[in-house]
Amino acid sequence: MRRGEALALRWRDVDLDAGRVAVRRSVGVVKTKGAGEQLVEGPTKTGRSRVVDLDARTVAALRAYRAVRGGLTLDLVRDSALVLGDLDGTYRHPERFSRRFAVQVAQARKALGEDQLPKIRLHDLRHTHATLLLADGVPVKVVSERLGHASATITLTVYQHVHPGMGRQAADRFAELLRA
């Protein structure tokens, strides 16, 4: 998910039994001259909703997270509550959320040794997700749908670096199919 999509996710969008989330909205910062800035909820970047399937470990982590939040106050786990909202139930500021992630990565790098963990931004997690799936042979259309790209062409353009050498794999695989 994009940062704004994750920050706008509500518990009603999360189906832990089915292991999926419905990405329906995004939150972003709108700056108005003379009036400062405010967080505004709107549609996803493409204007379309999507459903993203989750693995069992992510579902378990979300269940545990929900239990902790519910232990603080039931208001934080109501259907209308934000999954990643502040403790007062409001949106987290997207830019501060990213900065906090950067601080946590820096702390982890210091604790583990800087050569043990790369320096990454929050958005790099999205790119890593897509790159690993594509490199493992997951169809571009499936990855594109998970990312919420308007078309698979966008995914192919952004992640074309994953494909060098795959032509050789395709040729070898085709030769195997001909022999069979």
Side-chain angles (χ1 to χ4, degrees):
M1 294 169 57
R2 295 173 183 93
R3 175 184 67 185
E5 294 169 343
L7 294 175
L9 190 68
R10 297 185 183 275
W11 284 112
R12 68 173 166 249
D13 303 320
V14 180
D15 185 341
L16 295 173
D17 294 329
R20 56 180 42 160
V21 296
V23 182
R24 297 185 170 114
R25 68 195 73 77
S26 184
V27 65
V29 178
V30 175
K31 297 178 182 177
T32 308
K33 190 173 183 174
E37 62 181 30
Q38 64 184 124
L39 300 181
V40 177
E41 183 179 293
T44 63
K45 186 174 181 180
T46 62
R48 293 186 297 200
S49 297
R50 69 185 183 282
V51 174
V52 178
D53 291 312
L54 304 172
D55 63 279
R57 287 177 64 185
T58 301
V59 170
L62 281 168
R63 283 187 196 281
Y65 175 72
R66 185 177 175 129
V68 168
R69 302 242 330 153
L72 297 172
T73 175
L74 291 178
D75 287 340
L76 293 175
V77 294
R78 297 197 191 289
D79 280 352
S80 61
L82 295 164
V83 174
L84 298 175
D86 276 331
L87 292 179
D88 64 0
T90 59
Y91 293 110
R92 291 184 191 214
H93 192 287
E95 292 161 11
R96 283 187 225 127
F97 189 77
S98 290
R99 281 196 298 272
R100 179 69 184 137
F101 178 83
V103 167
Q104 291 175 329
V105 168
Q107 289 171 344
R109 292 184 80 219
K110 185 175 180 183
L112 296 172
E114 294 192 4
D115 58 330
Q116 298 297 309
L117 181 67
K119 193 174 190 179
I120 58 171
R121 300 167 301 142
L122 180 62
H123 194 72
D124 294 334
L125 298 176
R126 179 175 160 85
H127 287 303
T128 300
H129 171 84
T131 300
L132 291 174
L133 291 176
L134 291 168
D136 197 49
V138 173
V140 172
K141 180 72 173 144
V142 173
V143 175
S144 179
E145 289 171 0
R146 288 181 65 82
L147 295 174
H149 285 164
S151 73
T153 304
I154 293 169
T155 309
L156 283 168
T157 301
V158 173
Y159 297 98
Q160 63 187 338
H161 65 279
V162 178
H163 298 287
M166 294 179 107
R168 170 59 46 211
Q169 291 172 338
D172 293 345
R173 179 68 181 131
F174 183 71
E176 289 174 26
L177 292 170
L178 286 177
R179 283 192 295 271

